[in-house]
Structure formats: C-alpha cells, structure tokens
Amino acid sequence: MASDRDILPSHVKPTHYGLDLTNLDRSSFTYDGTVTISLELKQATRTISINSKQLTLHSGSVYLDSSKSTVAVTDISYDKKTEIAQLTLAEEIPNEGTASFTIKFSGALNHEMAGFYRSAYKNGGKDDWMYSTQFESCDARRAFPCFDEPNLKATFDFSIEIPESYTALSNQPEKESKDLGNGLKKVTFVTAPKMSTYLYAWACGEFEYVESFTEREYEGRGKLPVRVYTTKGLAEQGRFALENACKIVDYFSEIFKIDYPLPKVDLLAVHEFSHGAMENWGLITYRTTAVLFDEKTSDARYKTRVAYVVAHELAHQWFGNLVTMDWWSELWLNEGFATWVGWLATDKFHPEWDVWGQFVTESLQTAFQLDGLRGSHPIEVEVRSALEIDQIFDHISYLKGCSTIRMLSSHLGVETFLNGVSNYLKKHAYGNATTEDLWTALGEEAGADVAGFMRNWIKTIGFPVLTVTEAPGQITVKQSRFLSTGDVKPEEDSTTWWIPLFLNDEAYTSSAEKVAALTAKESTIKNLNTSHYKLNHGQNGFYRVNYPSSRLTQLGADRHTLSVSDRVGLIADAAAMAFSGAGSTAGLLSFLHALSDEQSYQVWSEILSQLNKLRSLFAESSPRIRDGLTQFTLSLISPTVAKLGWEFSAGEDFLTGRLRALLLSTAGTCGHAAVIAEAQRRFAAYTSGDTSLVHPSLRLAIFRTAVGTGGAVAVTAVLAEYARTAAIDGQEICLSSLGRVREPALIRQVLEFTLSDKVKVQDKHTPAIALSNNSEARGALWRFIQENWDEVYKQLSGNMVVLDRFLKNSLNKFANREVLSEIEEFFRKKDNTGYDKGLGVVKDNIRGNAAYVERDAREVEKWLGEHGY
C-alpha cells in the first residue's frame, strides 16, 4: 500500500466489532458507547492507532487471548489532521495471536449529515428529529472509534438503547428487544457479515413502513422481505420504490448469478441527506425525493429519479458491498458500475422511458463537460486523505466511469460483460479487489485484452475527439484529445486511446472489412458507403465526433432515421465543436434551425440545453445577442408549445408529459406572452387555494414563470407555498423557482432566505443553481458569497461535500475574466482544503466561457441578424 496515504499503522487488524450505544440524550444531542474490537496481532507494539473524529475517548484496554491478561491504555493522543487517535498501552503486546480491544467513548448527534446525526422534520405538525448514519467515505470515525479504511473489513454486532416509541434499524434484522424500564428499550441486531466500516449503518426514530416480498425464493430464506421505512404519514409514498426494489433484487440476483446475500432489504427515507442515497448493506438510506413518490402530487420527473436511484443503490449490494474496492482511488469501481447497471435495470422495467436516451442527454454530456476541462482528473486517481476522497465523488467517478463501462459492455456484448462481472464477484466475495482484478475477469470471459483496452481510459485524463475526413469510398479517422477551450498542447495529446468505432452496418459495402476499434492515432477505413455512415452508433462510446460540415448536414437531414440517442449525440457533438473552435457556432445554429419539427423530449432537452448555454454565455457581455438567441429559441419551440398545450390527457405517455413541462418552462423564461399570461392565471388560482389548474408536473414551469414575471407578489406566494407544502418535492420546486427573480431587492431577499435556517443545509445548493443560471442574479450571488463568506463557510463546512457543491454550482456560469480574477483573489488567502478541486473546475469553466465569447460573439451576432433575430 502506498506510503504517502493517511492510513493506519499495520500493527493490528480488526476482525469483529461489538458496538453498544447508550444514553442517547435528545436534548443535548449526545450519546455514550462502548466498542470491543477483535484483533489479529501483526507486530509487537505499545501503541494502537485508530480513527476517531469529534469523539471523546474515555478509557480503554486490550485483552490478550494467549495470556488471558489485560493491558490498560495509559494515554490517548489525537492528530486532528489525519483523524487518528493513538492509544499508548501499559506494556507491549505481542506480534502474533488474537486480542480484544475495548474503548469507552462519547459522541455528538451532529446536524451535519455525517457520522451519527439528526434530521429535522414535522411529526404531526410538531418539530421532531430522526437519527441515522452516513459513513461514506470516512465518517464512521465520527460515530465510533474504528479502523475506518475500506480494506479493513470485519463483522459487526450492534445494540442500541432507544425510547420505547422508536424503531431501530441496522444492516441486519433485529435479534432481540429488551424492556429497560423508564420508557427505554435495548435493541440488539443479528451479527452482520464481513464489511467495510463505511457500509455499516443504523437509524432510529418514529418510523412506519410498507412491505412486500421478492418473487424469487432464496435458499434457506424463502422470499425476502423488502421494506421502505419513513417517518409517520409518508409510508405509502414509498410504494413505487418498493415495487421497483422487489423486482430489482431478483433481477440482480439473476444477472450476477449470486443470490442477494442478506436476509432483508430495508430502504429508509431520511429528511436531511448530503447525497442522493447511500448503499449501506441491507439498510439503504435515501434523500426523501430519491425514494418517495406520490402519484397524485409528485412531479413525474421524480419518478425516473426514484426508480434509478433505487436500482443504483441495490447494485451496490453486490458491487461495492460484497466486493469492495481496495482503496478510495478505485472508487469508480463502485460508482461507475452501479450507475451503469442502475440504468440497465431501469431500462428493463421501464422501457417506455427511453432511459438510455436520457443518459446520453444528461449523464454523458455532464461527464464530457467536466472531462473536457484541463483541470479534470483520471477516473482512477490517487488520493491521500479523507478530504481528498470526498472531492472525487464527482461526475468523473460516477458518469465517466459509467460511460466507459457502457462502452466496454457494448463492445464485448452485455451478456459476456455480465458473465465476467459474475466471475469477479464470486472470486472476491466478502473481500476487496482492484480495477485490474475486474479487467482480468472480463478478459478471461471475453478472450480479449480488456486491461489493454481500458488502461488509458482509466489511468489518463480526458477523452478523444475523432476528426473525420472523407474521400470517395473511404473515411480517415484521427483521434486527439478534446479540450473545450480548443487549445490542446502537444504534450497534452500524447495518449492513444483504444476506441470502439460502433460504425453502423449500413456504412459497410459487401467488400468492406469491418473495423471494430481505432487503435492508432489515425486510420483509414475503406470500401464504405460514405453516404450512409455514422460513427458511435447509439452513442455507446465515450468520445466526440467532428464530421465534415457536409456530412453533418446530411445526418441532420436524415435524422428521423436515427435513434433518439444518435440525434442527441449529433447536437451535443456539434455544439462541443463550436464551443472549442473546431467547428462553427453559425453552423450549429443553422443545424438547430432545422429541428423545430422534433418530437422527442430527449432531443428537445439537448437542443434547449445548448441554446440556454449560449444565452447564458452572452448575457453578461452582449444583451443584444442574448435577446436575439431568446427570439430564436421562441421561434423554434412555439409550434410545439401550441400543439402540446397545457392539459395532460388520459393515457398520455410519460415522455410527452416531460416535453410539455420542458417547453412551457422555456417559453415562460423566453417571454412567450400567451404562456406567461396563462401561467400567471393558473398560479393565481393555485395560490388562492384552487390547485386543480396546476398539474403536479407543471408546478415548476408555472412557479418559475410567475416568479420571473410577477415580482414581489409572486415571490411572497412561493415563500408561503414553501412553508406550507406537504408534497415531498414541494420545497425543492419552490427553491428552484425562486432563483428566477429579477429585481435586485428580490434577488437579495432570496439570497438571505437561502442562508437562513428556513432552508436546510442539504438544499442550499438548489436556489444557488437557479440563481447562477439567471444572468440577472449571477453577479449578486457572487457578491453575496463574498460579503457573507464567514457565515457560508460556517453553515456548509461541517460537511465539505456540501460546501464544494454549493461553490461549484454558484460560480461556474460566468464568462467574464474580471470575475475570474475576483474569484482567484478572494480565495487566494483562504484555506481551500476540501473544495480546492471544485474551485479549479470553476476557474477552468470561466476561462473557457470567456474565451468562447471573445472569439465567437461577432459570428453569432451576424448569424442572428441574417436570420431576422
């Protein structure tokens, strides 16, 4: 193991934890605990080092099994930076045998969404708390002293004292509940199998649940119970997640050829949560909007989210939990795979949603955006400390990781790929593994050099663009690194990627030899039908394609013969080429100009994403260009807006509803007079108590339009809705809507509201995203952060994931070098530990945005003028 990591000495190795929590004080938010850790002795030592953060360690001792003697702990010292407590022993313990190490400690039930923490919610209209854990990556040490590294796996026994009215949950089922008197009980759980500390979990509170069972029977266990737990009154909203979970547990058991290994599956809705969900083995925790859904009151877009997140976390029960990465540098092994197979399962059970089209539109483009920056990082990147680990839970680990797995599985064949995964899981079950272990298993199954294929994708930064040149009957394809700034230096373009070409079958003539992959910097493919070729068919590869302009025009003309994913890919690639300077923005706009007859939600989403980006980029420097682009956008969408209208018909398909909401929201933002008038009418009725005119899936579109056009009256009404809404997605929709304010006084009001205690820490990034996307509020948001930095840092730095996310979402939309200089100067003298990589992403984005605006402003203005905008 690398010596430059902040890791524990290897004198001892844990094999089992016996953890008992007592004295939960719900007034002072403290608790006491005792942990006894069974150890294998590896080296003679007079000290034992253990991870501990924000805990008070009281006393300890080591019981030596060989001599049946006890050695006391005589001194405890802490290293705050490494989060290691060193316990000095009264005498040296030997270099072999076994022992048990007991520590008494006290901890805090913090309000920072890490360790053992508390979440606020309304219980029958009264303020109350629920309690749960969040340990990934390195916060088990906040809850109990432990060996908090992924490759130090152990089994667990756990017990906790709680009020009689509470339900306690953990990874395994309850073993015993004992009445202690005084309104308390002690709940003990069945021994949990060998796992990493970050996967252990518990929770307690006044819970209820909905329950179902798997269809499959599992040897010795029958049909497995699956439950969704919530606080009181919300359980029925877990029904959709429950239905998906039961099917997905069976599906994964089949495709991985390993039965789900635990006796139960619990999903818990947590009211304050830093991430989307956490895959604790057997007790999966979720942000409420990622697991709860009400058919009558929820926005339909959350349905996709719930189905996918449930699948993603269940995938981890095998890939990540049963087999765990050896060290955090290989986090992508967990997250990239779970993302891919999560979408695979969602597509199986909801094929009508076209989730791969959604993946290409959202996830793939998000990964491209980050990895197209100079300051990106490889998928597999060495990390030293806990704060560095937190910063790689990003779009590279999740979305680029998933995209490369999707590319490889498409090349090998999904069945072959899954067979290799099954072999990998069986070989390393209950242990740890590396990326190379996965490549070995896949290579053996496929009979291919998978490690060779994938090494550069995983180990090097960035991704390629394939530039195509045509000649009669052939094309030449050249690969080079893509940077969104278009200024790749020779030393940055030294990688030769293995690139599966996914050339469509129609491209080959009868005499052509099919080419599976590009393995050199440049290659010529002969005997092609150059009128009907398309690279990266299905958008399965993680690369962009730069076609000759004539070919792009032809593909646009033939777009209705292409899949949704391919149409999205053409638009996204053309936009990326324009942004980097490898293509033309005028060409992009002409390409988009022809797409007003498009019917696909996913394709419209990509079209509008690119036009919104252009409007945002030019808003600061050229309102005239922004307004011209706004008029162009309106001309594109207006026919479809009129066709779709406002009403959802019975039996209407899911994606049509999504398209209606998208186009009405865009029309309201762009000043469509009729849409604004109708949105204001429906908003007025809604806020007066008549909710019948506002379909749940149109709340966001209507609220945004009302806030953007209705001034103080609309803001007051949305704030009132935020305070009273009972819809599980209601507050999130209100916060996103408030970001559309325009008047300086109202922008200030929303900013102050965001920083107030009325907005939970988990949600503060939501209005920040909306304000950052709002060119009239972006500058005020940045000034507010500067003026209130001490308070921002105080509120968000208890969980650095939250602070990093807030800053990236607040600052990355500027296209102004002066603002870039302000940001650099403001943070120059501050301790940026924990969010330094996020700041790097912000700076790279602004540099690229500014360079693009400076280069292409005249071209865009000319095109708009020539086309009457």
Side-chain angles (χ1 to χ4, degrees):
M1 185 175 290
S3 60
D4 61 346
R5 298 173 182 165
D6 288 338
I7 58 173
L8 297 165
S10 56
H11 302 136
V12 298
K13 182 181 179 181
T15 59
H16 179 77
Y17 290 85
L19 177 60
D20 181 38
L21 301 186
T22 61
N23 301 327
L24 268 69
D25 189 323
R26 292 176 291 157
S27 298
S28 62
F29 300 117
T30 58
Y31 63 96
D32 295 324
T34 302
V35 62
T36 298
I37 309 171
S38 299
L39 302 175
E40 291 180 2
L41 306 181
K42 298 294 187 181
Q43 298 177 37
T45 183
R46 275 200 63 184
T47 63
I48 293 179
S49 294
I50 196 163
N51 292 117
S52 177
K53 180 179 182 180
Q54 298 173 355
L55 298 173
T56 301
L57 307 188
H58 298 302
S59 62
S61 62
V62 177
Y63 179 80
L64 299 171
D65 293 331
S66 59
S67 62
K68 302 191 184 315
S69 61
T70 300
V71 179
V73 171
T74 58
D75 184 62
I76 304 173
S77 61
Y78 298 89
D79 185 327
K80 187 174 181 180
K81 181 180 179 184
T82 61
E83 300 173 354
I84 293 174
Q86 186 180 79
L87 292 84
T88 302
L89 305 176
E91 59 186 70
E92 186 176 76
I93 58 176
N95 63 353
E96 59 183 1
T98 58
S100 56
F101 177 33
T102 300
I103 312 169
K104 292 185 180 298
F105 64 96
S106 298
L109 294 159
N110 71 70
H111 199 197
E112 297 174 346
M113 299 180 289
F116 187 17
Y117 72 94
R118 66 189 193 271
S119 298
Y121 75 103
K122 295 290 185 182
N123 186 356
K126 297 180 180 179
D127 292 334
D128 206 346
W129 300 97
M130 63 171 288
Y131 306 90
S132 59
T133 59
Q134 170 59 36
F135 290 164
E136 191 178 28
S137 55
C138 299
D139 284 314
R141 65 191 67 176
R142 280 198 189 195
F144 65 106
C146 57
F147 295 83
D148 200 15
E149 295 172 9
N151 57 10
L152 296 178
K153 287 190 168 186
T155 54
F156 288 82
D157 281 317
F158 176 65
S159 61
I160 185 170
E161 294 180 5
I162 57 171
E164 284 180 333
S165 63
Y166 274 23
T167 298
L169 303 171
S170 190
N171 306 70
Q172 288 280 64
E174 180 183 304
K175 180 180 181 181
E176 179 186 40
S177 180
K178 183 178 180 182
D179 186 1
L180 300 177
N182 299 318
L184 297 175
K185 61 184 177 182
K186 181 174 183 176
V187 182
T188 303
F189 292 87
V190 172
T191 301
K194 191 177 179 184
M195 70 178 81
S196 304
T197 48
Y198 81 88
L199 293 168
Y200 204 69
W202 62 84
C204 60
E206 293 192 343
F207 300 150
E208 60 183 29
Y209 63 88
V210 287
E211 180 182 50
S212 189
F213 293 85
T214 59
E215 284 295 316
R216 289 176 86 250
E217 296 205 1
Y218 292 77
E219 187 175 352
R221 293 170 287 164
K223 294 184 176 183
L224 300 181
V226 182
R227 293 177 176 179
V228 177
Y229 280 89
T230 70
T231 53
K232 289 183 176 180
L234 297 177
E236 277 302 317
Q237 295 188 47
R239 187 72 63 183
F240 178 69
L242 180 68
E243 293 168 358
N244 281 268
C246 289
K247 293 184 289 188
I248 291 166
V249 169
D250 286 345
Y251 176 60
F252 287 159
S253 294
E254 291 168 4
I255 67 172
F256 299 148
K257 300 178 183 177
I258 302 173
D259 281 356
Y260 176 82
L262 301 183
K264 56 95 172 176
V265 185
D266 288 341
L267 291 68
L268 172 65
V270 180
H271 286 276
E272 297 187 59
F273 206 83
S274 58
H275 296 73
M278 177 60 209
E279 66 265 22
N280 315 299
W281 212 358
L283 175 59
I284 308 168
T285 48
Y286 294 82
R287 182 181 286 244
T288 53
T289 51
V291 71
L292 303 182
F293 184 85
D294 188 325
E295 293 285 353
K296 295 180 179 178
T297 66
S298 293
D299 187 329
R301 66 195 175 98
Y302 286 90
K303 201 168 195 176
T304 310
R305 183 185 188 191
V306 169
Y308 162 71
V309 177
V310 166
H312 177 108
E313 303 308 326
L314 285 170
H316 277 307
Q317 307 302 295
W318 288 263
F319 213 99
N321 297 9
L322 182 65
V323 179
T324 310
M325 76 266 150
D326 186 67
W327 179 247
W328 294 106
S329 57
E330 295 169 312
L331 171 71
W332 87 277
L333 269 179
N334 286 10
E335 300 303 346
F337 180 84
T339 302
W340 174 74
V341 83
W343 285 119
L344 187 75
T346 306
D347 182 55
K348 177 177 176 60
F349 295 113
H350 302 283
E352 72 280 8
W353 291 354
D354 186 18
V355 298
W356 289 119
Q358 179 177 331
F359 176 85
V360 171
T361 309
E362 298 173 5
S363 302
L364 184 65
Q365 305 313 320
T366 301
F368 278 142
Q369 182 179 357
L370 179 53
D371 208 35
L373 300 176
R374 186 168 270 111
S376 181
H377 64 80
I379 288 177
E380 189 170 297
V381 58
E382 190 57 57
V383 290
R384 172 188 173 91
S385 68
L387 288 175
E388 289 182 1
I389 293 163
D390 285 341
Q391 290 194 80
I392 64 166
F393 280 80
D394 64 6
H395 296 317
I396 298 299
S397 296
Y398 283 73
L399 302 183
K400 183 182 178 182
C402 168
S403 299
T404 56
I405 284 173
R406 179 171 177 257
M407 176 172 65
L408 178 63
S409 65
S410 298
H411 175 78
L412 299 180
V414 171
E415 184 177 354
T416 298
F417 181 84
L418 288 172
N419 286 340
V421 167
S422 174
N423 296 338
Y424 163 86
L425 291 171
K426 290 173 182 176
K427 182 174 182 179
H428 300 284
Y430 298 100
N432 298 81
T434 66
T435 300
E436 292 300 318
D437 292 326
L438 177 61
W439 297 157
T440 297
L442 292 171
E444 289 172 352
E445 181 66 25
D449 181 19
V450 172
F453 292 168
M454 299 304 293
R455 192 161 290 120
N456 283 337
W457 288 106
I458 304 304
K459 300 286 188 181
T460 63
I461 191 171
F463 65 90
V465 54
L466 302 187
T467 300
V468 183
T469 54
E470 296 180 356
Q474 66 182 43
I475 60 172
T476 298
V477 182
K478 180 180 180 180
Q479 63 164 289
S480 55
R481 182 182 173 188
F482 178 85
L483 279 181
S484 58
T485 48
D487 56 349
V488 180
K489 301 171 185 175
E491 62 270 22
E492 295 173 318
D493 192 22
S494 60
T495 301
T496 301
W497 282 274
W498 165 82
I499 305 174
L501 292 175
F502 301 120
L503 194 58
N504 60 315
D505 289 338
E506 296 84 357
Y508 291 103
T509 64
S510 58
S511 59
E513 182 178 346
K514 291 193 174 183
V515 179
L518 179 65
T519 57
K521 276 289 189 183
E522 185 174 324
S523 183
T524 298
I525 305 171
K526 299 181 178 180
N527 298 320
L528 289 185
N529 181 347
T530 52
S531 298
H532 293 88
Y533 78 92
K534 183 187 179 299
L535 291 163
N536 203 10
H537 184 60
Q539 299 304 115
N540 289 306
F542 192 70
Y543 55 88
R544 294 204 182 277
V545 181
N546 186 13
Y547 291 104
S549 58
S550 59
R551 181 63 195 152
L552 184 61
T553 300
Q554 184 61 48
L555 285 167
D558 296 340
R559 66 187 181 279
H560 294 301
T561 67
L562 301 176
S563 70
V564 166
S565 293
D566 280 323
R567 280 153 34 216
V568 169
L570 284 177
I571 296 165
D573 285 359
M577 294 308 109
F579 189 82
S580 69
S584 157
T585 302
L588 170 66
L589 293 171
S590 295
F591 186 63
L592 297 179
H593 195 261
L595 303 183
S596 62
D597 62 342
E598 182 57 60
Q599 300 299 310
S600 163
Y601 162 71
Q602 318 285 21
V603 180
W604 268 117
S605 180
E606 186 60 32
I607 292 169
L608 296 178
S609 174
Q610 298 303 337
L611 289 174
N612 291 344
K613 180 178 180 178
L614 288 174
R615 292 206 315 273
S616 175
L617 288 172
F618 287 106
E620 297 166 55
S621 59
S622 179
R624 180 177 176 180
I625 292 177
R626 177 199 61 196
D627 293 345
L629 288 165
T630 298
Q631 292 306 309
F632 173 45
T633 303
L634 274 176
S635 74
L636 276 183
I637 66 174
S638 291
T640 309
V641 167
K643 177 182 176 182
L644 289 176
W646 289 81
E647 304 306 326
F648 289 70
S649 59
E652 183 176 81
D653 69 274
F654 177 79
L655 292 175
T656 297
R658 294 291 306 274
L659 178 59
R660 175 182 294 106
L662 171 69
L663 294 183
L664 287 174
S665 181
T666 303
T669 301
C670 290
H672 190 297
V675 167
I676 291 171
E678 182 64 11
Q680 288 175 334
R681 183 181 78 85
R682 292 176 183 243
F683 181 75
Y686 184 95
T687 54
S688 298
D690 178 9
T691 60
S692 63
L693 289 178
V694 177
H695 189 281
S697 294
L698 292 183
R699 276 174 299 156
L700 184 61
I702 290 171
F703 286 16
R704 281 178 169 175
T705 302
V707 168
T709 59
V713 172
V715 170
T716 300
V718 171
L719 288 172
E721 173 70 9
Y722 177 88
R724 68 172 173 257
T725 182
I728 207 68
D729 57 9
Q731 289 195 332
E732 196 169 289
I733 286 171
C734 289
L735 290 174
S736 183
S737 303
L738 288 168
R740 292 298 180 93
V741 287
R742 294 184 175 181
E743 296 89 339
L746 294 178
I747 293 170
R748 182 77 187 187
Q749 181 183 354
V750 171
L751 286 165
E752 290 174 349
F753 176 71
T754 299
L755 207 55
S756 75
D757 60 6
K758 292 182 175 65
V759 178
K760 292 181 178 180
V761 170
Q762 69 162 8
D763 295 325
K764 290 186 188 291
H765 70 286
T766 301
I769 292 171
L771 290 163
S772 180
N773 284 327
N774 178 353
S775 61
E776 295 180 55
R778 191 179 301 153
L781 171 61
W782 166 226
R783 290 189 295 274
F784 187 81
I785 289 172
Q786 295 175 81
E787 294 165 4
N788 296 275
W789 174 250
D790 289 345
E791 183 62 24
V792 169
Y793 189 86
K794 177 183 175 183
Q795 288 191 23
L796 305 185
S797 63
N799 190 322
M800 279 295 181
V801 170
V802 177
L803 179 59
D804 181 64
R805 179 173 61 207
F806 180 84
L807 288 175
K808 283 190 291 190
N809 284 317
S810 296
L811 304 178
N812 67 353
K813 292 299 196 305
F814 286 104
N816 186 310
R817 295 189 191 275
E818 291 182 8
V819 174
L820 174 61
S821 297
E822 289 177 12
I823 291 171
E824 289 176 328
E825 182 59 31
F826 182 77
F827 288 104
R828 193 186 314 280
K829 296 179 181 178
K830 291 178 171 52
D831 180 1
N832 301 323
T833 304
Y835 60 89
D836 56 305
K837 290 182 173 61
L839 277 182
V841 168
V842 165
K843 294 172 189 176
D844 273 355
N845 268 314
I846 297 175
R847 288 188 194 101
N849 292 345
Y852 170 77
V853 166
E854 292 161 3
R855 187 190 70 230
D856 276 25
R858 286 187 179 180
E859 178 185 353
V860 175
E861 187 167 17
K862 180 182 177 185
W863 187 93
L864 290 169
E866 289 173 347
H867 289 79
Y869 301 111

